[in-house]
Amino acid sequence: MQVNTTGAVAEARPLVFAGFPASSWIFALRVWLATLIALYVSFWLELESPSTSALTVAVLALPTRGQGMEKAGYRLLATAIGVAASIAIAGMFSQTSGLLLAAFGIWVGLCVYMAGMLDGNRAYAAALCCITVALIAIEQIDSPLQVFPTGVARGAAIGIGVLAVALVNEVLAAPDYHPVLASRLEALHRRVVDVAQAAIRGVPASTQDAANLLRDVVALRPEIASLATESSVGTARAAAARSAMVDLVNELTLVRAFAALRAASATVPDDPHDGDLGLLTMSRAHLRSEIARGNAEVRNSLAAMRAGVHPSRQWRAPLYRSRRIAGEGAVRAAIHFMLVAIIFVMAGWPMTELCLALVAVIIGLSSTAPDPRRFTMLAVFATLLACPLAGVLKYLVLDGVSEFQLLAIGLAPVVIGLALLIASPNPARSSLGRLTLVFTLAVLALSNPQGYDPETFVVTCLFAQLSAVLAFAAQLVLPSLSGDRRISLLLGAAHRELNNLVSGQVRHLAPEEAAFRDAARIGQIVTTGGDSPANQHVAAEAMRYFDQTVALRRCHAELERLATGPLAEAARAAATALVSRNGRTVLAAAEALRRTALQSRLSVEPVVTALVWASVAFEPRQALAGSGTEERP
């Protein structure tokens, strides 16, 4: 048995060559072939900027088919919006360069704001709207009549790059993403099941572990959108994956409620002489059945995702974003661009338009990163690597040749090597590889015929590196939003939302969907603060707001069902008790509602469970300890 097990492990081990798995080499080969096809077609059509098509391939270099196609669609949409904005800005401010730069600074801020309010490739599209205007309007600041032809040429080159990526992915059978995503969701489901089993045994998960689990679940949200473009059943798979995510968050909230009630009952056990089921016993039994039902729903959603059919219950996965954080980030981004623009204008250096365009590219892309300053630092290192790579390729490998076959051979080591870095599971290496590939192709500026002027190349490299350094310096002068500031704003938003719920201002979302939205905020707080012991109190405070908010929403949803009928008056009394946020008062209202229901022979386990859950969330132990005599007849 031991020999067979070892053999099975050896067979399951992926093939590795030069330290990279075979899947990474296949991905790198696809990127290289797509780059060659995009360049060949661009040269054949004699486009104005054939290197843009190669840059498009570098941007869309993603391991799976669905991810690449989704990003390609957003890239085309953002390019169209950016071209229209370029024409409008250049048309209104073509006579004054100063006003044009000011208008573009405002546009940078607007795009960064929209990127801050979105996620995934939608945030990338918002940033690309800024980048497109930079590459069209800013580079043609002295010739506004060329804005429209430049925009059309850029759109054509991007379209060719998109088609090249789609063709290569289809011919070489690029893998689908849904098996990977299903495996990740199943792994998260196993973690939630482990937490539930431990809570039933009386070993609840720590607050930090629960917050980390919520973060890992909601982190899959931007990746699910790519399933819709993967196949004809992609929309059904995306709906099933969203439902699985929401069901996972819902199951975890129920597990936390069960653990809280179990801890509270350990302090004040139910009265064994009471003829009726005690509040705690009833609530724990109901929560346990709800956990089992939630677990079944997760399994059904995962099965629907595997089968490519719509789930029995479809949930939305609403996104939480702070307008305050997005607004402050937008203002800082606009100021960063204007600071660098003032330096270039006052210095009067050559190639100012290209440098400002590159600064806008770095600022726009950094707005989609969790840490803009770290991303800009990566961009600085990427330019330092890209310029020597482009120089070696241009003057040592190609060395004046014009044959496309030699260009294809010369590009192979650079493109394949950097594509291997892009395929790395390490996010920093992957980002560095992508940025280096993009900057290398941009500095190389492939054209037909290819230019080999060393003076132009050296000046381009120097100013490209200077642009990245100045963008980083601007972020040092006016730092991006700090982690402490972000956490403070997110916790303040959670506190205000809790107060609004208490006062009766309820969003028109199902409790499960609203819980997912709150979990997205938890994910942002944990991602910003990290897992260090110093930030554990932040996670604890955030989870306390989360538990109270979820419990209140459950109470409001259940009490609304009793707004008419024999229990209406008791339901209104319970709603009034919730306003006090006093655990004893809420528990007494739950007991009164249960007694009224017993007289009317009605079942109220869900609403009583929600009220008991809320009482424990507000006062975990004191509520029950102080009201133990009040809850007994």
Side-chain angles (χ1 to χ4, degrees):
M1 291 296 296
Q2 185 175 1
V3 175
N4 293 338
T5 303
T6 305
V9 172
E11 291 177 0
R13 186 177 301 168
L15 296 176
V16 176
F17 178 72
F20 294 94
S23 58
S24 297
W25 285 100
I26 296 174
F27 165 71
L29 179 62
R30 293 203 311 268
V31 174
W32 176 61
L33 290 177
T35 302
L36 296 183
I37 293 174
L39 285 173
Y40 185 84
V41 175
S42 299
F43 290 156
W44 180 59
L45 295 177
E46 298 182 355
L47 296 184
E48 179 183 339
S49 179
S51 60
T52 302
S53 60
L55 288 172
T56 299
V57 175
V59 170
L60 301 181
L62 293 167
T64 61
R65 175 168 38 193
Q67 290 175 303
M69 292 308 299
E70 188 213 8
K71 194 171 186 178
Y74 280 113
R75 184 170 177 82
L76 290 173
L77 175 62
T79 300
I81 296 174
V83 170
S86 300
I87 296 172
I89 293 174
M92 289 187 291
F93 303 102
S94 59
Q95 302 300 322
T96 54
S97 300
L99 288 178
L100 180 60
L101 290 177
F104 184 66
I106 295 173
W107 178 256
V108 169
L110 290 174
C111 293
V112 170
Y113 176 80
M114 292 304 301
M117 294 300 296
L118 301 171
D119 68 338
N121 285 327
R122 295 186 300 169
Y124 163 75
L128 186 59
C129 291
C130 159
I131 295 171
T132 301
V133 175
L135 296 176
I136 296 176
I138 298 300
E139 287 199 15
Q140 303 297 332
I141 191 172
D142 295 325
S143 53
L145 294 179
Q146 295 298 316
V147 169
F148 180 76
T150 302
V152 172
R154 175 174 172 80
I158 289 176
I160 291 173
V162 170
L163 292 176
V165 171
L167 177 63
V168 171
N169 285 344
E170 192 66 30
V171 172
L172 296 185
D176 291 331
Y177 188 54
H178 74 267
V180 177
L181 190 55
S183 298
R184 294 175 64 182
L185 285 170
E186 288 169 354
L188 290 170
H189 183 212
R190 287 193 294 270
R191 289 172 60 186
V192 173
V193 170
D194 291 341
V195 171
Q197 292 175 347
I200 292 173
R201 293 194 305 267
V203 186
S206 67
T207 301
Q208 186 67 49
D209 291 340
N212 291 341
L213 186 51
L214 288 176
R215 174 199 60 192
D216 295 341
V217 172
V218 299
L220 296 180
R221 184 189 184 278
E223 303 180 29
I224 287 176
S226 64
L227 299 181
T229 60
E230 196 168 69
S231 63
S232 59
V233 295
T235 303
R237 284 200 172 103
R242 280 194 299 270
S243 297
M245 278 198 313
V246 176
D247 289 333
L248 282 172
V249 171
N250 179 51
E251 184 177 356
L252 186 58
T253 58
L254 294 172
V255 170
R256 284 184 58 79
F258 180 87
L261 266 62
R262 186 185 181 98
S265 64
T267 303
V268 182
D270 291 330
D271 188 353
H273 303 292
D274 191 354
D276 299 326
L277 287 175
L279 289 179
L280 287 173
T281 304
M282 175 193 299
S283 301
R284 289 200 306 270
H286 182 75
L287 281 174
R288 191 161 183 171
S289 64
E290 286 293 300
I291 292 171
R293 185 176 62 85
N295 189 53
E297 289 179 353
V298 174
R299 290 199 303 268
N300 292 337
S301 296
L302 291 175
M305 182 182 175
R306 291 284 192 185
V309 297
H310 286 279
S312 57
R313 176 183 292 183
Q314 296 188 31
W315 295 116
R316 293 174 297 172
L319 174 67
Y320 175 81
R321 283 292 185 265
S322 170
R323 291 187 176 88
R324 184 72 177 272
I325 292 177
E328 292 192 16
V331 171
R332 282 173 165 79
I335 295 175
H336 292 159
F337 176 80
M338 294 306 300
L339 286 175
V340 179
I342 290 172
I343 293 175
F344 277 112
V345 171
M346 292 180 62
W349 290 326
M351 303 183 70
T352 298
E353 298 85 358
L354 176 61
C355 294
L356 288 178
L358 182 57
V359 169
V361 169
I362 294 174
I363 292 175
L365 291 178
S366 66
S367 66
T368 63
D371 188 348
R373 185 187 298 181
R374 184 179 180 183
F375 179 89
T376 306
M377 185 181 297
L378 279 177
V380 172
F381 285 119
T383 55
L384 294 176
L385 293 174
C387 291
L389 281 176
V392 169
L393 182 59
K394 192 168 191 175
Y395 296 104
L396 295 181
V397 177
L398 298 180
D399 194 21
V401 302
S402 57
E403 290 80 5
F404 187 81
Q405 296 86 343
L406 296 179
L407 173 63
I409 297 173
L411 283 176
V414 175
V415 175
I416 293 178
L418 293 176
L420 289 173
L421 279 182
I422 294 175
S424 171
N426 187 304
R429 292 180 183 176
S430 180
S431 298
L432 182 61
R434 189 181 304 278
L435 287 174
T436 304
L437 179 58
V438 169
F439 288 147
T440 300
L441 294 175
V443 172
L444 193 59
L446 295 171
S447 60
N448 190 19
Q450 178 66 25
Y452 290 95
D453 184 5
E455 181 179 352
T456 302
F457 177 80
V458 171
V459 172
T460 301
C461 290
L462 288 177
F463 278 95
Q465 295 174 4
L466 178 63
S467 301
V469 171
L470 287 178
F472 182 70
Q475 293 182 347
L476 291 179
V477 173
L478 180 63
S480 301
L481 211 59
S482 66
D484 292 340
R485 175 64 175 166
R486 287 175 180 269
I487 291 175
S488 176
L489 291 175
L490 291 170
L491 289 177
H495 182 66
R496 287 192 300 272
E497 192 161 333
L498 177 61
N499 291 335
N500 292 336
L501 278 173
V502 171
S503 61
Q505 301 178 19
V506 183
R507 286 178 173 269
H508 297 289
L509 289 173
E512 293 83 358
E513 295 172 344
F516 182 87
R517 180 178 176 273
D518 294 340
R521 179 165 49 211
I522 295 292
Q524 295 173 33
I525 292 174
V526 175
T527 301
T528 303
D531 298 333
S532 63
N535 293 316
Q536 288 184 359
H537 71 282
V538 173
E541 184 178 0
M543 290 301 293
R544 179 168 60 86
Y545 287 139
F546 176 78
D547 292 336
Q548 293 176 355
T549 303
V550 170
L552 274 177
R553 286 202 179 95
R554 291 274 181 165
C555 290
H556 286 304
E558 296 296 339
L559 290 174
E560 283 182 2
R561 297 188 178 96
L562 304 180
T564 59
L567 301 179
E569 184 176 352
R572 285 192 294 269
T576 304
L578 288 173
V579 177
S580 67
R581 279 191 276 191
N582 185 289
R584 301 178 183 179
T585 305
V586 174
L587 201 63
E591 176 63 19
L593 180 60
R594 187 185 69 161
R595 292 176 181 175
T596 305
L598 287 176
Q599 295 173 2
S600 303
R601 298 181 182 277
L602 297 175
S603 176
V604 288
E605 284 86 356
V607 64
V608 168
T609 300
L611 290 170
V612 174
W613 180 0
S615 69
V616 174
F618 287 130
E619 298 182 52
R621 295 181 183 273
Q622 293 83 353
L624 293 175
S627 60
T629 57
E630 296 176 6
E631 72 166 301
R632 301 185 184 97

Coordinates of all heavy atoms in Angstrom, one line a residue, residues 528-564:
T528 N -6.5 45.3 4.4 CA -5.7 46.5 4.7 C -4.9 46.3 6.0 O -3.7 46.7 6.1 CB -6.7 47.7 4.9 OG1 -7.5 47.8 3.7 CG2 -5.9 49.0 5.1
G529 N -5.5 45.7 7.0 CA -4.8 45.6 8.3 C -3.8 44.5 8.4 O -2.9 44.6 9.2
G530 N -4.1 43.4 7.7 CA -3.2 42.3 7.8 C -3.5 41.4 8.9 O -4.5 41.6 9.7
D531 N -2.7 40.4 9.1 CA -3.0 39.4 10.2 C -2.1 39.5 11.4 O -2.0 38.7 12.2 CB -2.7 38.0 9.6 CG -3.7 37.6 8.5 OD1 -4.8 38.2 8.4 OD2 -3.3 36.8 7.6
S532 N -1.4 40.7 11.5 CA -0.5 40.9 12.6 C -1.3 41.0 13.9 O -2.5 41.4 13.9 CB 0.3 42.2 12.4 OG -0.5 43.3 12.4
P533 N -0.7 40.6 15.1 CA -1.4 40.7 16.3 C -1.9 42.1 16.7 O -2.9 42.3 17.4 CB -0.4 40.2 17.4 CG 0.5 39.3 16.5 CD 0.6 40.0 15.2
A534 N -1.2 43.1 16.2 CA -1.6 44.5 16.5 C -2.9 44.9 15.9 O -3.6 45.8 16.3 CB -0.5 45.4 16.0
N535 N -3.3 44.2 14.8 CA -4.5 44.5 14.1 C -5.7 43.6 14.5 O -6.7 43.6 13.9 CB -4.3 44.5 12.6 CG -3.4 45.6 12.1 OD1 -3.5 46.7 12.6 ND2 -2.4 45.2 11.3
Q536 N -5.4 42.7 15.4 CA -6.5 41.7 15.8 C -7.7 42.5 16.5 O -8.8 42.0 16.3 CB -6.0 40.7 16.7 CG -5.1 39.7 16.0 CD -4.6 38.5 16.9 OE1 -4.9 38.5 18.1 NE2 -3.8 37.6 16.4
H537 N -7.4 43.5 17.2 CA -8.5 44.3 17.8 C -9.4 44.9 16.7 O -10.6 45.1 16.9 CB -8.0 45.3 18.8 CG -7.3 46.5 18.1 ND1 -6.0 46.4 17.6 CD2 -7.7 47.7 17.9 CE1 -5.7 47.6 17.1 NE2 -6.7 48.4 17.2
V538 N -8.8 45.3 15.6 CA -9.5 45.9 14.5 C -10.5 44.9 13.9 O -11.7 45.1 13.7 CB -8.6 46.4 13.4 CG1 -9.4 46.9 12.2 CG2 -7.7 47.6 14.0
A539 N -10.0 43.6 13.7 CA -10.8 42.6 13.2 C -11.9 42.2 14.2 O -13.1 42.0 13.8 CB -10.0 41.3 12.9
A540 N -11.6 42.3 15.5 CA -12.6 42.0 16.5 C -13.8 43.0 16.5 O -14.9 42.7 16.5 CB -12.0 41.9 17.9
E541 N -13.4 44.3 16.3 CA -14.4 45.3 16.3 C -15.2 45.2 15.0 O -16.4 45.4 15.1 CB -13.7 46.7 16.4 CG -14.7 47.9 16.4 CD -14.0 49.2 16.6 OE1 -12.7 49.2 16.6 OE2 -14.7 50.2 16.6
A542 N -14.6 45.0 13.9 CA -15.3 44.8 12.7 C -16.3 43.7 12.7 O -17.4 43.8 12.2 CB -14.3 44.7 11.5
M543 N -15.8 42.5 13.3 CA -16.7 41.4 13.3 C -17.9 41.6 14.3 O -19.0 41.1 14.2 CB -15.9 40.2 13.7 CG -15.0 39.6 12.7 SD -15.8 39.2 11.1 CE -16.8 37.8 11.7
R544 N -17.6 42.4 15.4 CA -18.7 42.7 16.3 C -19.8 43.6 15.6 O -21.0 43.2 15.7 CB -18.2 43.5 17.5 CG -19.3 43.9 18.5 CD -18.6 44.4 19.8 NE -17.8 45.6 19.5 CZ -18.2 46.9 19.5 NH1 -19.5 47.1 19.7 NH2 -17.4 47.9 19.2
Y545 N -19.4 44.5 14.8 CA -20.4 45.3 14.0 C -21.1 44.3 13.0 O -22.3 44.4 12.7 CB -19.7 46.4 13.2 CG -19.3 47.6 14.1 CD1 -18.1 48.2 13.9 CD2 -20.1 48.1 15.1 CE1 -17.7 49.3 14.6 CE2 -19.8 49.2 15.8 CZ -18.5 49.8 15.6 OH -18.2 50.8 16.4
F546 N -20.3 43.4 12.4 CA -20.9 42.5 11.4 C -21.9 41.6 12.0 O -23.0 41.5 11.5 CB -19.7 41.7 10.8 CG -20.2 40.6 9.9 CD1 -20.5 40.9 8.6 CD2 -20.3 39.3 10.3 CE1 -20.9 39.9 7.7 CE2 -20.7 38.3 9.4 CZ -21.0 38.6 8.1
D547 N -21.6 41.0 13.2 CA -22.6 40.2 13.9 C -23.9 40.9 14.2 O -25.0 40.4 14.1 CB -22.0 39.5 15.1 CG -20.8 38.6 14.8 OD1 -20.8 38.0 13.7 OD2 -19.9 38.4 15.6
Q548 N -23.7 42.1 14.8 CA -24.9 42.9 15.2 C -25.7 43.3 14.0 O -27.0 43.2 14.0 CB -24.4 44.1 16.0 CG -23.8 43.8 17.3 CD -23.3 45.0 18.0 OE1 -23.3 46.1 17.5 NE2 -22.8 44.8 19.2
T549 N -25.1 43.7 12.9 CA -25.8 44.1 11.7 C -26.6 42.9 11.1 O -27.7 43.1 10.7 CB -24.8 44.7 10.7 OG1 -24.1 45.8 11.3 CG2 -25.6 45.2 9.5
V550 N -25.9 41.8 11.0 CA -26.5 40.6 10.4 C -27.7 40.2 11.3 O -28.8 39.9 10.7 CB -25.5 39.5 10.3 CG1 -26.2 38.2 9.9 CG2 -24.5 39.8 9.2
A551 N -27.6 40.2 12.6 CA -28.7 39.8 13.5 C -29.8 40.8 13.3 O -31.0 40.4 13.3 CB -28.2 39.7 14.9
L552 N -29.6 42.1 13.3 CA -30.6 43.1 13.1 C -31.4 42.9 11.8 O -32.6 43.0 11.8 CB -30.1 44.5 13.2 CG -29.9 45.1 14.6 CD1 -29.2 46.4 14.5 CD2 -31.2 45.2 15.3
R553 N -30.7 42.6 10.7 CA -31.4 42.4 9.5 C -32.2 41.2 9.5 O -33.3 41.2 8.9 CB -30.3 42.3 8.3 CG -29.7 43.6 7.9 CD -29.1 43.5 6.5 NE -28.5 44.8 6.2 CZ -27.2 45.0 6.3 NH1 -26.4 44.1 6.8 NH2 -26.7 46.2 5.9
R554 N -31.8 40.1 10.1 CA -32.6 38.9 10.3 C -33.9 39.3 11.1 O -35.0 38.8 10.7 CB -31.8 37.9 11.0 CG -30.7 37.3 10.2 CD -31.2 36.2 9.3 NE -30.1 35.6 8.6 CZ -30.1 34.4 8.0 NH1 -31.2 33.8 8.0 NH2 -29.1 34.0 7.3
C555 N -33.7 40.1 12.1 CA -34.9 40.4 12.9 C -35.9 41.2 12.1 O -37.1 41.0 12.2 CB -34.4 41.2 14.2 SG -33.5 40.3 15.4
H556 N -35.4 42.2 11.4 CA -36.3 43.0 10.6 C -37.0 42.2 9.5 O -38.2 42.4 9.3 CB -35.5 44.2 9.9 CG -35.1 45.3 10.9 ND1 -36.0 46.0 11.6 CD2 -33.9 45.8 11.2 CE1 -35.4 46.9 12.4 NE2 -34.1 46.8 12.1
A557 N -36.3 41.3 8.9 CA -36.9 40.5 7.8 C -38.0 39.6 8.4 O -39.0 39.4 7.8 CB -35.8 39.7 7.1
E558 N -37.7 39.0 9.6 CA -38.6 38.1 10.2 C -39.8 38.8 10.8 O -41.0 38.3 10.7 CB -38.0 37.2 11.3 CG -36.9 36.3 10.8 CD -37.4 35.2 9.9 OE1 -38.6 34.9 9.9 OE2 -36.6 34.6 9.1
L559 N -39.6 40.0 11.4 CA -40.7 40.7 11.9 C -41.6 41.3 10.9 O -42.8 41.5 11.1 CB -40.2 41.9 12.8 CG -39.5 41.4 14.1 CD1 -38.9 42.6 14.8 CD2 -40.5 40.8 15.1
E560 N -41.1 41.6 9.7 CA -41.9 42.1 8.6 C -43.0 41.0 8.2 O -44.1 41.4 7.8 CB -41.1 42.5 7.4 CG -40.4 43.8 7.6 CD -39.6 44.2 6.3 OE1 -39.6 43.4 5.4 OE2 -38.9 45.2 6.3
R561 N -42.6 39.8 8.3 CA -43.6 38.7 8.0 C -44.7 38.6 9.0 O -45.8 38.1 8.7 CB -42.9 37.4 7.9 CG -41.8 37.3 6.9 CD -41.2 35.9 6.7 NE -40.2 35.8 5.7 CZ -38.9 35.8 5.9 NH1 -38.5 36.0 7.1 NH2 -38.1 35.7 4.9
L562 N -44.5 39.2 10.2 CA -45.6 39.2 11.2 C -46.3 40.5 11.3 O -47.0 40.8 12.3 CB -45.0 38.8 12.6 CG -44.2 37.5 12.6 CD1 -43.7 37.2 14.0 CD2 -45.1 36.3 12.2
A563 N -46.1 41.4 10.4 CA -46.6 42.8 10.5 C -48.2 42.7 10.4 O -48.8 43.7 10.9 CB -46.1 43.6 9.3
T564 N -48.7 41.7 9.8 CA -50.2 41.6 9.8 C -50.5 40.2 10.4 O -49.8 39.2 10.2 CB -50.7 41.7 8.4 OG1 -50.1 40.7 7.6 CG2 -50.5 43.1 7.8

